[in-house]
Amino acid sequence: MLAGMTIALGATDVKAAEQFSWPAFFGPFHMIVLHFPIGFLTLTVLLELRAMLKPERNSRRAVAFALPITTATALVTVALGWMRAGAGEFDEHLLAWHRMAGIGVLFFCFFAWLVHRAFQQVPDSSIFRFGYRGLLLAAFVCLSLAGHFGGNLTHGSGFLTLNAPPALKRLLAGPPAESTAVKPAAGGTLYTKTVQPAFAKKCYSCHGPEKQKGKFRLDLREAILKGGDSGEPVVTPGDLEKSRLLYHVLLPRDHDDAMPPKGKEPLSPEEIVAVGQWILSGAKFD
Ligand code: HEC
């Protein structure tokens, strides 16, 4: 069974290599370029604060210089973000918020720039002055939101507080979310006692509610039965041979298709046995 699968996976690799696409190539650069609008917009806001304290010509000129650069870098970042999102491995809901905030940055920067130009023509117009300051502030708020949602998209929402003091973690976590809640061991089933906690700890960061690498999520039964990118079921209840999930977790650690990927904590032998038993007994979620 393993040999057959290796051949099948090899064929997908060849297909993937043939399906070259420019957006897929450029998309990841979003992660690098996004630092420019962050830097430039922060700089613009600082320059504007200086201009408020020292309303002289040079201060206004500095803002006039920074605004178009900020807008241009935001435009490139949004375009690359669009290509990055096309890869389709992200939670739709989070992505929608991130996209909206990112476009907000571009939109507000662009209009702040236009209104600032008008302000330079008519320096004593308070409408223009407050107008572009408001737009700049709106751009900055959008930037913070885009950063926040973007961080959750790439790292999962626990990223920042992963190593926080336990008391702070409990405070921030609030009640556990329904899909990732680990139910008490007493009276639990094989799934709730062993399988689900193992998935939650070692797989959900890439196949959970927030992020779906390979378009695959492990926290919903329908999703497991349906499979991800490959379009084939990942688990066939009662049939170990036809359950590719088991194949992926059993591969040698340095194999390209091993799950979790190299460098991440693998499932323990006990957990793998539990996953096998769970599949045999019907892969139920309760
Ligand atoms: C660090 C991120 C990461 C972690 C953690 C991770 N995976 Fe994956 N997984 C991926 C990626 C990326 C793919 C897509 C691989 C590809 O398309 O070549 C994938 C694909 C899969 C697939 C194939 C889906 C399909 O439809 O072909 C299965 C099954 C899978 N993972 C199971 C698991 C299990 C079980 C765990 C936990 C023990 C796990 N993964 C942990 C990144 C991860």
Side-chain angles (χ1 to χ4, degrees), residues 169-182:
K169 263 191 183 171
R170 276 196 298 276
L171 190 72
L172 292 173
E178 199 52 52
S179 63
T180 52
V182 178

Side-chain angles (χ1 to χ4, degrees), residues 9 13 89 198-207 211-218 223-224 226-235 243-249 253 256-262 264-267 271 275:
L9 287 166
D13 289 347
E89 63 192 45
F199 285 169
K201 182 155 175 248
K202 297 171 179 172
C203 319
Y204 283 7
S205 58
C206 295
H207 303 296
K211 202 166 164 192
Q212 286 109 37
K213 292 274 188 184
K215 296 209 182 98
F216 174 54
R217 66 189 285 181
L218 256 173
I224 292 192
K226 188 166 134 271
D229 256 346
S230 62
E232 286 165 32
V234 165
V235 166
S243 294
R244 282 183 304 123
L245 188 141
L246 211 53
Y247 161 74
H248 284 282
V249 299
R253 291 305 298 144
D256 275 351
D257 297 318
M259 283 294 145
K262 230 188 302 179
K264 305 278 172 191
E265 191 189 351
L267 294 180
E271 286 168 341
V275 170

Side-chain angles (χ1 to χ4, degrees), residues 61-73:
R61 274 209 195 134
V63 176
F65 174 74
L67 266 174
I69 303 181
T70 310
T71 308
T73 56

